[in-house]
Each structure stands twice: as structure tokens, then as C-alpha cells.
Amino acid sequence: MVKDKIIQHLIEKEWCKGCGICVHFCPKQVLELDSNGKVEAVRPEDCIACMLCELRCPDLAIQIIENQEKEYEKQ
Amino acid sequence: MKNKKFDFKDYIRQRFFPHIWCPGCGHGIVLSSLLRAVHELGLNKNEIVITSGIGCSSRISGYVDFHSLHTIHGRALSFATGVKLSKPDLKAIVPMGDGDALAIGGNHFIHAARRNIDITAIVMNNRIYGMTGGQFSPLSGCGKQATTAPYSTIDREFDVVDLAKSAGATFVARSTVFHANECKDIIKKGINHKGFSVVEILTQCPTYYGRKNKEGDAVQMMENYKTNTVKIGSKKLEKNPGLIQRGIFVEKNDVPEYCEAYDRIIETAMKGQA
């Protein structure tokens, strides 16, 4: 089911303050802080789009965009 | 906007971002939950008025793209009462900090609850005055460290839920920022409720409360909300009665709403003249 979807992580780096809440609560360890202390999706292919990071980001800096692959191709 | 996918950017004033809250501050999660609640209710941005007082939490009114009033310390509910009486069709939402709501605005809080005016008060409880430098608040509780209590506090804390309940609020609920989805659902119910709704949301202040009381960083404080809270009436309470309960404590629909009662008085007074 997950494979049929393309999941994009829209990260607003300027808004991220690097608190690490998203990194800690991600069940698949998709996210990590980069050398500037800003969040980065290092393993986007593991993402299950549970939205925990988006729900709990205090800086409103992460958005998960899910696209069905078929629809994605049409676009 | 109901069917469109949720996007923060439809509801915020982007020019003020990134916001001023500290890294890891829970207030951002409350903001995000509030925006999601508004989105899921399918409300028009022009139907909502956000009134806030002073404090970290009260900065919310500047970030949301609704009607907004940033007013004086503790008196946000009074301003909201005025707005609501003149424009009863607007949905009035008042985000307040714990000090703003219950110390400086304590009197306004209990009287708004007594009147049962249709306002949703969101009490963002971080148990400290963050903006002014970490003074203890009426919700800090005994034995806590704060900049104004270097040898720990001796004041007992309010229980927001019990206070609101006894003051006559007709919707009283509590959640935490760890339970972001539950928090959103509770805000939704609070906005929909006709009457005074109090939603207490426990939120972390890692900069002052967390640091002073050695509760760790923002992540650790959120983990604590997971372990220290339970749903109302959970069996875990039997073993550990100190756990904080989450959920909806009061939901009454049989009390007249203030604006409606006031309209009836106007009708009576104007009889034969209007």
C-alpha cells in the first residue's frame, strides 16, 4: 500500500528551529538534523506518512504531501 | 475550504514566520492544532475572531489570518465578550496563557464562565510566565523552581478544570500537546459548543520551566505528558492517583447562552416600540 504512494516532505528550513521533536517521534527514523541543526528527510523512502512530525512540529515547518502514484504520473 | 487538503499557509500570516517562540515550545503545536480544527470544521476565515491578552501564548492572534485583537493583559475575555455581544455570529476564540487566564485575568475568567457566553477559551498551561523571564504562575504548584522562587515555590496551584467547572463553564476539557490529534478534536468540540468552553492544553516551556525544574528538553517534556496523563477514568488511576486526566469533563447544553438571553431582554424592553 505504501509503495503505491509517493510521499514528499516539504520542509521550510527557515522556519525550523531544530528542537528535534519530529526526529524523536518519527517511528521510522526518516528525519535527522543536518549540520546547521535544521531537519532533513534523510530516508524519505521509509516514510509511512503517519503525520506525527507534521502534527507535532511547533514551528509549522514540515508538511507531508501524499500522492497516489497513478495520479502523480498523470500530472 | 473543507475538502481541500490542509495547508498551514492558508491560515497564517506568513510574513510573521518563523514565529518568536523558543525552539521546542509547545505553543506552536497548539497553534497547529487550532488551525487544523478550524480547517476540519470548514469555517470561513472571516467568521472567526481571535482575541488574546499578553504573554507568549497570546502571540497566536498575530500569526493567524482571522479577525484578531491583541489586547491588554488578562482582559482578552472581556474584549471577546464585547465583540461577541455586538457580533454574535462570529466564533470567538481566546487563546490565553496560564498566568494571563488565571492570575491577571482570573476574575474575568470566572465571570465569563458564570455568564456562559459563547466563547472558546484555550488555556495554554505551561506552568510559568515565559515571556517575562520565568516567574512562577498560579499553576506552577508547590515545590517548583522559578526565577522568582530560587528556593522553590510554596503556593498551591489551581486546577483549571475544577475551577472552570465550579464557575459554571458548560464545556470543560483537557489535553496535551503530545496528544496533538486529541487536542485538535477537543478544540473542534469546544468551538462547536454553544456556551463558554474551556480547553486546557498542557504545553511545555523547555526554556524556563523545563530548565529550572530539570525536566529535560522539549522532547523529554513531551514524553512526560505521555507517561503522566491518562484518559478520564482510566484504570491506571487506581494504582497511581497522581496522574493527570485528559478528556472532556463537562458538556452541558441546558444552560441559556448569554447573547441569546440578552437578545430576549432587548426584545422585552423594546416591546411596542420596535
Side-chain angles (χ1 to χ4, degrees):
Chain A
M1 199 180 132
V2 175
K3 283 175 191 166
D4 298 338
K5 287 176 184 168
I6 290 183
I7 299 163
Q8 282 178 290
H9 298 75
L10 278 188
I11 296 172
E12 198 78 49
K13 291 232 178 189
E14 296 239 314
W15 293 9
C16 174
K17 295 190 183 120
C19 62
I21 288 176
C22 54
V23 177
H24 179 82
F25 288 110
C26 177
K28 293 284 175 186
Q29 287 81 45
V30 171
L31 303 163
E32 264 176 34
L33 296 183
D34 67 11
S35 53
N36 295 323
K38 307 273 181 177
V39 69
E40 199 174 21
V42 288
R43 283 174 284 276
E45 64 282 0
D46 290 351
C47 178
I48 52 168
C50 65
M51 314 289 270
L52 286 180
C53 54
E54 186 183 317
L55 285 169
R56 295 201 184 122
C57 173
D59 296 316
L60 277 58
I62 306 181
Q63 264 186 299
I64 305 294
I65 312 280
E66 267 184 279
N67 283 313
Q68 297 290 335
E69 195 154 26
K70 282 175 189 169
E71 284 176 17
Y72 198 74
E73 280 167 7
K74 274 181 204 165
Q75 283 169 3
Chain B
M1 266 189 212
K2 203 173 188 178
N3 298 319
K4 211 183 146 206
K5 197 196 172 291
F6 174 73
D7 186 350
F8 294 120
K9 295 189 172 130
D10 295 335
Y11 296 94
I12 56 174
R13 294 175 182 150
Q14 282 188 56
R15 62 186 183 279
F16 297 129
F17 275 74
H19 55 56
I20 53 119
W21 294 315
C22 303
C25 172
H27 289 358
I29 309 174
V30 180
L31 170 62
S32 139
S33 305
L34 172 65
L35 298 180
R36 275 168 216 282
V38 167
H39 175 79
E40 289 188 13
L41 288 171
L43 296 174
N44 186 306
K45 290 200 276 186
N46 293 326
E47 283 177 84
I48 304 164
V49 56
I50 301 264
T51 314
S52 68
I54 299 297
C56 295
S57 54
S58 302
R59 300 293 293 232
I60 277 196
S61 65
Y63 295 129
V64 291
D65 194 19
F66 311 138
H67 294 301
S68 60
L69 274 170
H70 198 165
T71 69
I72 51 178
H73 205 0
R75 276 74 189 178
L77 282 171
S78 321
F79 283 84
T81 304
V83 172
K84 186 74 189 172
L85 278 171
S86 61
K87 297 231 178 267
D89 294 334
L90 289 175
K91 297 266 182 204
I93 303 171
V94 183
M96 298 181 287
D98 48 322
D100 192 42
L102 294 161
I104 300 97
N107 218 350
H108 301 286
F109 181 83
I110 54 173
H111 289 287
R114 175 177 63 85
R115 289 186 188 117
N116 193 32
I117 185 159
D118 186 16
I119 293 173
T120 307
I122 301 175
V123 181
M124 295 149 78
N125 179 7
N126 58 8
R127 312 183 82 185
I128 206 141
Y129 289 97
M131 183 174 277
T132 47
Q135 293 83 1
F136 69 87
S137 87
L139 286 153
S140 296
C142 285
K144 298 287 188 254
Q145 300 287 319
T147 48
T148 44
Y151 303 105
S152 83
T153 52
I154 52 167
D155 297 38
R156 290 170 61 206
E157 78 269 40
F158 272 134
D159 183 322
V160 184
V161 166
D162 286 348
L163 181 72
K165 216 193 277 184
S166 43
T170 48
F171 181 94
V172 184
R174 181 192 282 135
S175 187
T176 84
V177 290
F178 174 82
H179 307 86
N181 249 334
E182 180 194 76
C183 176
K184 175 204 72 190
D185 291 337
I186 282 180
I187 295 177
K188 260 167 80 179
K189 284 187 184 148
I191 295 174
N192 265 343
H193 178 77
K194 189 106 188 129
F196 192 69
S197 326
V198 177
V199 179
E200 182 194 8
I201 300 171
L202 304 178
T203 148
Q204 73 272 16
C205 174
T207 307
Y208 284 110
Y209 190 81
R211 199 157 47 99
K212 286 272 171 200
N213 290 292
K214 309 232 177 337
E215 289 197 7
D217 59 359
V219 169
Q220 188 52 49
M221 291 180 86
M222 282 182 79
E223 285 282 354
N224 290 347
Y225 287 139
K226 181 170 132 192
T227 46
N228 295 342
T229 65
V230 285
K231 289 210 166 168
I232 297 174
S234 162
K235 277 187 181 168
K236 286 183 192 163
L237 283 167
E238 289 165 14
K239 276 186 194 162
N240 188 355
L243 294 170
I244 301 168
Q245 301 190 59
R246 304 188 323 267
I248 298 167
F249 294 82
V250 179
E251 198 171 9
K252 280 192 280 194
N253 292 311
D254 53 347
V255 184
E257 198 272 323
Y258 194 68
C259 296
E260 287 175 3
Y262 200 77
D263 282 347
R264 282 198 291 277
I265 288 294
I266 294 174
E267 219 171 272
T268 315
M270 297 293 280
K271 210 159 244 179
Q273 291 173 40

